[in-house]
Amino acid sequence: MAKILVLPGDGIGTEVTEVSVKILELLAEEKGIEIETENALFGGSSIDEHGVPVTKDVIEKAKNSDAVLLGAVGGTKWENLKHEIKPESGLLELRKQLDTYANLRPAVVYPALVDASTLKKEIVENVDIMVVRELTGGIYFGTPRGIDNLDDGEQKGVNTLHYKTSEIERVAKMAFEIAGKRNKKVTSIDKSNVLESMVLWRDTVTRVWKENYQDIELEHLYVDNAAMQLIRRPRSFDVMLAGNMFGDIISDEAAQLTGSLGMLPSASIGDKGAIYEPVHGSAPDIAGKDIANPIASVLSTAMMLKYSFNLDGISLEIENSIKTVLDKGFRTADIYEEGKTKVGCREMGELIINELKKNN
Ligand code: NAD
């Protein structure tokens, strides 16, 4: 039995998650997959009810689930609250409590949307990249940190980049495992020509590869070169592995190859749990209008089925249903172009579900 905690959150989070939940219900009813879902408040909606963005009870429920499906949090209503009780801090707390050390962000260019990219069609056609970013270590968490007042009246800003071998090993293993399910190549990104912490990164990734994963091709790139090659030869990448800060930047660059925010799923995986969520936020500008693109959420659900439940076949069926709907010319407003059929969030969901039903 797959136990899934559903946290729709705020704004369009609730709209896109509704579509994903319908898909999970379909899988349970018609494909015999044993799924148990439970809904809870999270983010702004939790602040309104409980005064905090995430309650201890919800954290416990998340820990006792096999996976969490999240919508998005935030909105103008909660913008001026103190940092600790803002909706977004609930997200950070959940990630911390589940120790989700690996962030997975696929960047896939769909044939039907190839013209939405800012790069030429010949460059981005068939791009299918998975960025694996270390999420709980590196310079974003390293100490000492802060802004010091110096005796001479100047100030000094300090951050510290450190990684332990165990932190590098576990995320490297994750990247190799994922590459094994894909096109069997890992590009590890570092700055080992300048930073000692990155010498350890490169040595550790190489050792993990030698010990267990020599069937996977391993390439090392300095981060500056990786940023260039990503827009020069994006098709040559399969899995890109990076530390927290470099991964933050590279995953956004990879996403930009594909076009719309409404198409980008993500997963944050750790030993205590996994969170699947669209990359986009709660989009207050379009919330409540039934015009959001639910595909990022549905693709996050497909990732959950693949990475948390090893249901690779069903995951692929969902991805193919989305491709078919796009090939037939249906578009939500964010990816709409002249000559196509504009549909809303719910209708896009129905179209995907109808394609999925055809595979029965
Ligand atoms: P956003 O991602 O919510 O929206 C950016 C733009 O993209 C908006 O114009 C929006 O209409 C559009 N957009 C986003 N998702 C879309 C979709 N599925 N379909 C169609 N259009 C879509 O980012 P923002 O406006 O900077 O932030 C709004 C709120 O969301 C803020 O409170 C922010 O803190 C929060 N946020 C939350 C998360 C999260 O929950 N993981 C991530 C980013 C931002």
Side-chain angles (χ1 to χ4, degrees):
M1 175 71 77
K3 270 178 81 178
I4 302 168
L5 178 66
V6 181
L7 304 175
D10 310 312
I12 65 164
T14 58
E15 300 170 43
V16 298
T17 306
E18 193 181 302
V19 170
S20 285
V21 169
K22 278 194 185 144
I23 289 181
L24 289 172
E25 284 167 0
L26 173 84
L27 298 181
E29 282 161 20
E30 297 194 11
K31 299 201 185 262
I33 299 178
E34 291 188 26
I35 296 175
E36 183 187 291
T37 60
E38 183 180 355
N39 270 48
L41 296 175
F42 189 66
S45 56
S46 172
I47 294 173
D48 288 350
E49 183 73 20
H50 306 292
V52 286
V54 59
T55 59
K56 287 198 176 93
D57 181 45
V58 168
I59 295 280
E60 274 317 298
K61 281 183 176 153
K63 285 182 177 167
N64 292 324
S65 305
D66 299 307
V68 176
L69 176 66
L70 201 97
V73 296
T76 37
K77 186 176 175 191
W78 306 283
E79 236 167 42
N80 297 321
L81 292 175
K82 274 197 296 186
H83 177 72
E84 311 80 72
I85 54 157
K86 271 191 167 176
E88 292 78 0
S89 63
L91 201 54
L92 297 180
E93 181 62 18
L94 185 65
R95 287 180 186 153
K96 189 173 139 196
Q97 291 292 334
L98 295 183
D99 193 19
T100 52
Y101 60 81
N103 183 231
L104 276 48
R105 290 235 332 232
V108 178
V109 175
Y110 289 90
L113 300 181
V114 71
D115 293 322
S117 175
T118 45
L119 294 192
K120 287 187 203 132
K121 187 176 172 184
E122 309 85 87
I123 303 283
V124 292
E125 233 165 9
N126 298 320
V127 159
D128 184 348
I129 298 169
M130 175 71 82
V131 179
V132 177
R133 164 188 170 193
E134 200 289 324
L135 201 59
T136 50
I139 195 162
Y140 292 172
F141 295 95
T143 50
R145 62 186 298 155
I147 299 176
D148 299 336
N149 294 318
L150 304 180
D151 293 343
D152 63 4
E154 279 213 84
Q155 287 187 302
K156 186 172 76 171
V158 181
N159 289 96
T160 308
L161 171 55
H162 53 68
Y163 269 116
K164 289 195 291 189
T165 42
S166 57
E167 289 175 301
I168 306 168
E169 274 167 8
R170 62 183 186 176
V171 74
K173 279 182 191 158
M174 175 93 71
F176 287 122
E177 291 289 334
I178 288 168
K181 284 190 165 200
R182 295 171 44 99
N183 294 318
K184 302 201 162 28
K185 179 176 174 186
V186 169
T187 302
S188 175
I189 295 162
D190 61 48
K191 192 71 184 165
S192 56
N193 50 341
V194 182
L195 302 170
E196 286 79 1
S197 54
M198 292 287 102
V199 172
L200 185 70
W201 179 278
R202 187 174 287 216
D203 289 350
T204 307
V205 171
T206 306
R207 178 171 50 73
V208 169
W209 171 76
K210 270 197 186 136
E211 282 168 2
N212 273 314
Y213 299 101
Q214 292 201 38
D215 56 323
I216 309 280
E217 184 189 343
L218 173 63
E219 170 187 46
H220 294 283
L221 288 183
Y222 299 136
V223 63
D224 42 348
N225 189 18
M228 280 199 292
Q229 301 309 330
L230 191 51
I231 49 170
R232 233 186 107 236
R233 53 169 176 97
R235 252 196 310 275
S236 73
F237 295 108
D238 177 23
V239 172
M240 299 182 89
L241 165 68
N244 207 341
M245 181 163 63
F246 296 159
D248 190 2
I249 299 163
I250 289 289
S251 59
D252 266 15
E253 189 187 355
Q256 184 53 41
L257 301 172
T258 69
S260 171
L261 205 50
M263 300 286 300
L264 297 170
S266 81
S268 302
I269 301 180
D271 296 332
K272 292 184 203 145
I275 306 167
Y276 296 84
E277 57 177 320
V279 168
H280 62 74
S282 58
D285 54 336
I286 59 165
K289 296 182 182 162
D290 189 33
I291 57 170
N293 186 348
I295 293 179
S297 175
V298 176
L299 286 170
S300 304
T301 306
M303 286 183 81
M304 174 196 292
L305 295 167
K306 182 169 177 167
Y307 294 110
S308 281
F309 304 121
N310 288 317
L311 295 166
D312 296 27
I314 303 274
S315 177
L316 191 63
E317 271 184 45
I318 295 177
E319 287 173 15
N320 286 339
S321 301
I322 292 170
K323 278 187 193 147
T324 308
V325 170
L326 294 173
D327 286 344
K328 287 183 175 173
F330 295 105
R331 302 280 190 275
T332 41
D334 57 316
I335 50 172
Y336 178 73
E337 54 186 310
E338 205 51 37
K340 304 295 179 194
T341 311
K342 198 185 275 184
V343 296
C345 181
R346 283 203 191 97
E347 195 177 352
M348 179 56 93
E350 291 305 323
L351 288 162
I352 296 168
I353 285 172
N354 286 341
E355 288 304 325
L356 259 177
K357 281 183 178 166
K358 285 184 195 164
N359 288 331
N360 260 341

